[in-house]
Amino acid sequence: MRELKYREAIDEATRQAMAKDERVFVLGVGVDDAKGIFGTTRGATLEFGPNRVFDTPLSEAALTGVAIGAALRGLHPLLVHARNDFLMLTMDQLVNNAAKWRYMSGGSMRVPLTIRAIIGRGWGQAAQHSQSLQAMFAHVPGLHVVMPATPADAKGLLLTALTTEAPVICLEHRWLYEKTGPVAEEAYYTPLGHAAVVRQGTHVTVAAMSLMVLEALQAAESLAAESIAVEVIDLRTARPLDSETVCASVAKTGRLVIADTGWRSYGVSAELAARVGRECFGDLRAPVERVALPDVPTPCTSALERAYYPGAAEIGAAIRATLLVRGRAPAAPSVEARGKEFSGPF
Amino acid sequence: MPPLAPERLKGFYVQMTRIRRAEEAIVARYPEQEIRCPTHLSIGQEAVAVGVCQALSEQDVVLSGHRCHAHYLAKGGSLRRMFAELYGKATGCCGGKGGSMHLASPETGMLGASAIVAGTVPIAVGAALAAALRGSDDVSVAFFGDAGIEQGVTHESLAFAALRRLPVVFVCENNLYATLTPLSKRQVSADVSPRAVAHGLPGVSVDGNDVLAVYEAAAHAVARARAGDGPTFIEAKTYRWREHVGPNFDVELGYRTQAELDAWMARDPLLRHARILETSGVLTAAERLALDREVEAEVADAVRFAKASPFPEPAALYADVD
Ligand SMILES: Cc1ncc(C[n+]2csc(CCOP(=O)(O)OP(=O)(O)O)c2C)c(N)n1
């Protein structure tokens, strides 16, 4: 199959959705400029022009409400943010309006609204440009949160979002943008709430999302040399959360490591651990381990950034902990060390 | 306004030169990949920070945004600690944990910067509220860009400051662009200050490349604030020479023309002030060169200090969280 970069897959999904459905339009800070959100809105700008792709003032709170209004009147806005940190300015509209309009109206109205936002990381972007805030949104009934790890899912999940009659937040990790993978040419729709088993194994299950899926696969690869067979599950969506697929795997392995791009406490990993503890208590043969960000803001300096972000090595150590295997954690290089280090553009 | 003493006028030049040379050092050093954080340079906009901060006293406070080097330096922040911060070192003004977009130096009245556009505008109002409630005559300043005026929180802040007649000066650095988007694509009017008037506070526009004009407007606003007459809004029209973030020029992106950039570079705020000083006999060309050399030595020392400083210990990751 043809290969595309993650960012190209987003661009293609946007154009295909717009071609199929004239209700879809794109707005956000910088969407129609020469850089086009790292290329993801450039194609739509060139193909559909200023009526359907346009820049906005830096008024994120208002524009979110504006998008809700347009959604209530028959359109499907795709609102784009260069960082998910900026969504904090829009929380009132997201949480108090978008998430509940359908419910509060007794089901008489719906809010078909798709929001894309990027998770930044690295090169000292620091505390306000690198957060991974999926848990904030996933907490809210009425919102959907998708976190594609592959180019194929970046396309399939965005296309699904753009045909869903409800608010969907797509969180894209900046470090995935240049990764390539097979992507079908035609439009296809990856269902929300369906995790994917991306590597089969029998000893330990690792359930991961977004960039952590790549780290988990790396950890699994290096442990395979020691005959530890790791099953890796890509959760793909944080809400709805497919604990069923995870439990089916845990029934086989008895051990679970959850790898989240967000903070450890109160996050998606906590929700998944609670569900697994409830739904397949009898299958667990070790405590559930979590690999996530420590509960501190992102430091700027590279000296502390390295300690802040867990990667394949930490996932490997967590896998060993569930197996009670003694010995040093495998020195698997993290995604950062393997690729050229991220240094912008931001 | 009484004429400024020659030493003050020279001081303006030195302050602007310090900012310019510091940021030129960032330009020169950035490719070494030791300054590992996004940097938004103020080259071309120095007169705004200096003109405003020269109208402030040491106890007065300022807040800023992502483009904060100039404000930090103009408010007396240590050059050494700024470079150490950019290099991610433990000796940095934020211990390496804040970086370029979050410079702070509370001991000189720079209370910090947010990388969320307009995020600190209400914080400056809060600092002014504290001054009013405590009965001190400190003034606070909010620095923000032309996109800052697009955030609702800015309008709410203006209205509240006017309502309570708080001692705050809002300084909008209108450099005509937000990232790659011109002001005309984001706002119906190119004049920002009338919007403050609608909220009940005086709004003035000044040539932001003329440090004396900025100083005069700021001194007037600060005097008003100190006298209990409330807030003022100053729009300083200026121009960013380099790319939005990073050390390079960016005309090839097509959102602005070389001719436009050239025209603004010809209005270099440093050269303009230097020429005035020269014609009025305050500073000869030779004296100016000597001052430049002094500032360059200071910047070189700061870079050396930063490079020689240690990185923070790993335990710093968990310090100062809650
Ligand atoms: C709320 C918010 N939205 C978007 C951004 C991304 N961003 C950073 S700076 C910037 C442009 C800001 O323009 P302006 O306020 O005029 O300041 P300038 O960069 O020109 O100094 C944008 C869009 C941000 N930091 N915060």
Side-chain angles (χ1 to χ4, degrees), chain A residues 32-35 55 57-60 86 89 123-126 128-129 294-296 299-304 308 341 346, chain B residues 30 35-38 88 96-99 101-102 114-117 147 150-151 180-181 185-186 253 311-313 317 321:
Chain A
D32 68 355
D33 72 24
K35 293 188 176 175
D55 209 340
L58 272 84
S59 309
E60 287 91 343
F86 307 156
L89 280 74
W123 201 258
Q125 290 180 72
Q128 298 173 338
H129 274 56
D295 287 327
V296 309
C300 177
T301 176
S302 56
L304 299 181
Y308 182 64
E341 193 188 342
F346 306 99
Chain B
Y30 209 72
I35 297 175
R36 297 155 81 90
C37 57
K97 287 157 84 171
M101 299 191 286
H102 304 291
S114 167
I116 304 298
V117 167
E150 292 153 23
Q151 293 289 356
L180 310 186
T181 307
K185 272 188 73 186
R186 299 178 283 116
L253 286 175
F311 282 108
E313 295 296 326
L317 182 62
V321 177

Side-chain angles (χ1 to χ4, degrees), chain B residues 155-210:
Chain B
H155 293 274
E156 296 166 27
S157 300
L158 291 171
F160 181 73
L163 178 73
R164 299 287 298 242
R165 295 172 79 81
L166 295 176
V168 51
V169 183
F170 300 96
V171 180
C172 176
E173 282 185 59
N174 182 356
N175 64 9
L176 306 176
Y177 295 91
T179 317
L180 310 186
T181 307
L183 187 66
S184 59
K185 272 188 73 186
R186 299 178 283 116
Q187 301 179 29
V188 283
S189 164
D191 284 315
V192 171
S193 53
R195 268 160 278 171
V197 177
H199 288 297
L201 64 160
V204 296
S205 295
V206 294
D207 179 348
N209 281 25
D210 177 349

Side-chain angles (χ1 to χ4, degrees), chain B residues 61-273:
Chain B
V61 296
V62 306
L63 288 119
S64 178
H66 56 285
R67 200 177 302 285
C68 64
H69 302 167
H71 309 131
Y72 165 93
L73 289 174
K75 195 63 181 67
S78 150
L79 197 56
R80 280 185 157 199
R81 298 192 69 199
M82 175 177 120
F83 271 98
E85 188 63 31
L86 299 180
Y87 276 85
K89 299 302 180 71
T91 53
C93 58
C94 303
K97 287 157 84 171
S100 164
M101 299 191 286
H102 304 291
L103 298 181
S105 136
E107 62 283 0
T108 69
M110 166 58 172
L111 293 193
S114 167
I116 304 298
V117 167
T120 58
V121 177
I123 298 177
V125 175
L129 178 67
L133 295 180
R134 289 193 344 252
S136 89
D137 71 351
D138 300 349
V139 171
S140 76
V141 172
F143 284 107
F144 50 96
D146 42 285
I149 208 77
E150 292 153 23
Q151 293 289 356
V153 72
T154 300
H155 293 274
E156 296 166 27
S157 300
L158 291 171
F160 181 73
L163 178 73
R164 299 287 298 242
R165 295 172 79 81
L166 295 176
V168 51
V169 183
F170 300 96
V171 180
C172 176
E173 282 185 59
N174 182 356
N175 64 9
L176 306 176
Y177 295 91
T179 317
L180 310 186
T181 307
L183 187 66
S184 59
K185 272 188 73 186
R186 299 178 283 116
Q187 301 179 29
V188 283
S189 164
D191 284 315
V192 171
S193 53
R195 268 160 278 171
V197 177
H199 288 297
L201 64 160
V204 296
S205 295
V206 294
D207 179 348
N209 281 25
D210 177 349
V211 71
L212 295 175
V214 175
Y215 171 78
E216 199 171 314
H220 185 70
V222 169
R224 257 179 56 83
R226 257 198 246 296
D229 293 336
T232 304
F233 183 101
I234 299 173
E235 173 198 13
K237 291 187 195 285
T238 184
Y239 198 78
R240 147 174 73 74
W241 290 7
R242 291 183 182 260
E243 60 188 332
H244 168 70
V245 54
N248 305 305
F249 288 104
D250 68 352
V251 164
E252 74 284 356
L253 286 175
Y255 72 102
R256 55 180 178 175
T257 63
Q258 185 67 47
E260 182 182 281
L261 175 62
D262 288 344
W264 278 95
M265 288 180 75
R267 304 182 53 213
D268 181 348
L270 271 71
L271 282 183
R272 184 156 157 187
H273 188 58

Side-chain angles (χ1 to χ4, degrees), chain A:
Chain A
M1 199 189 291
R2 171 196 65 153
E3 300 245 319
L4 280 188
K5 288 185 175 175
Y6 188 93
R7 63 173 166 79
E8 292 168 336
I10 294 167
D11 176 76
E12 182 168 282
T14 306
R15 286 186 287 109
Q16 288 180 342
M18 293 177 81
K20 282 178 185 296
D21 182 355
E22 60 183 20
R23 299 181 313 151
V24 176
F25 70 102
V26 182
L27 73 169
V29 172
V31 294
D32 68 355
D33 72 24
K35 293 188 176 175
I37 317 289
F38 313 110
T40 56
T41 54
R42 196 69 197 139
T45 301
L46 298 175
E47 192 172 328
F48 297 98
N51 266 339
R52 292 184 69 192
V53 184
F54 53 85
D55 209 340
T56 66
L58 272 84
S59 309
E60 287 91 343
L63 265 305
T64 306
V66 168
I68 294 170
L72 290 174
R73 296 298 290 161
L75 298 183
H76 191 133
L78 170 55
L79 181 55
V80 187
H81 301 272
R83 287 289 180 291
N84 75 105
D85 312 67
F86 307 156
L87 287 173
M88 296 300 96
L89 280 74
T90 75
M91 277 308 237
D92 170 53
Q93 292 297 337
L94 286 178
V95 175
N96 288 324
N97 292 338
K100 316 181 160 53
W101 212 261
R102 180 182 177 195
Y103 191 82
M104 293 191 303
S105 67
S108 63
M109 284 178 275
R110 286 173 175 255
V111 181
L113 165 63
T114 300
I115 292 169
R116 287 182 44 215
I118 297 170
I119 299 164
R121 172 174 164 177
W123 201 258
Q125 290 180 72
Q128 298 173 338
H129 274 56
S130 61
Q131 297 171 93
S132 190
L133 296 168
Q134 59 274 17
M136 310 268 274
F137 314 110
H139 185 59
V140 182
L143 297 181
H144 302 76
V145 184
V146 312
M147 302 189 69
T150 63
D153 281 349
K155 176 173 173 179
L157 288 169
L158 181 56
L159 275 164
T160 300
L162 288 168
T163 49
T164 297
E165 299 294 310
V168 181
I169 298 171
C170 303
L171 297 179
E172 303 154 1
H173 200 291
R174 182 69 181 87
W175 280 23
L176 296 171
Y177 264 46
E178 303 302 320
K179 304 270 183 239
T180 43
V183 178
E185 295 196 20
E186 73 282 1
Y188 58 91
Y189 302 84
T190 306
L192 305 184
H194 287 258
V197 178
V198 292
R199 182 186 172 108
Q200 310 262 347
T202 49
H203 297 132
V204 180
T205 303
V206 179
M209 69 189 84
S210 190
L211 182 72
M212 293 310 266
V213 174
L214 275 61
E215 297 284 359
L217 288 170
Q218 178 68 29
E221 188 62 40
S222 43
L223 288 173
E226 299 173 36
S227 305
I228 299 174
V230 179
E231 180 142 306
V232 179
I233 294 176
D234 178 353
L235 291 169
R236 300 207 277 188
T237 65
R239 184 185 186 110
L241 183 62
D242 179 8
S243 49
E244 232 173 84
T245 298
V246 177
C247 284
S249 175
V250 170
K252 182 169 63 171
T253 62
R255 297 175 167 89
L256 176 63
V257 173
I258 306 169
D260 191 349
T261 55
W263 286 300
R264 184 182 186 85
S265 297
Y266 308 97
V268 177
S269 70
E271 177 62 24
L272 183 58
R275 290 195 193 185
V276 168
R278 179 76 180 73
E279 291 164 25
C280 50
F281 181 71
D283 295 321
L284 282 171
R285 292 156 67 189
V288 174
E289 289 290 331
R290 291 190 279 165
V291 178
L293 298 177
D295 287 327
V296 309
T298 314
C300 177
T301 176
S302 56
L304 299 181
E305 255 183 1
R306 278 192 286 275
Y308 182 64
Y309 287 106
E314 287 74 16
I315 294 172
I319 291 168
R320 286 170 187 282
T322 67
L323 289 163
L324 298 175
V325 176
R326 284 174 211 284
R328 257 163 35 88
S334 73
V335 170
E336 169 172 26
R338 285 199 310 277
K340 189 164 81 60
E341 193 188 342
F342 180 82
S343 62
F346 306 99

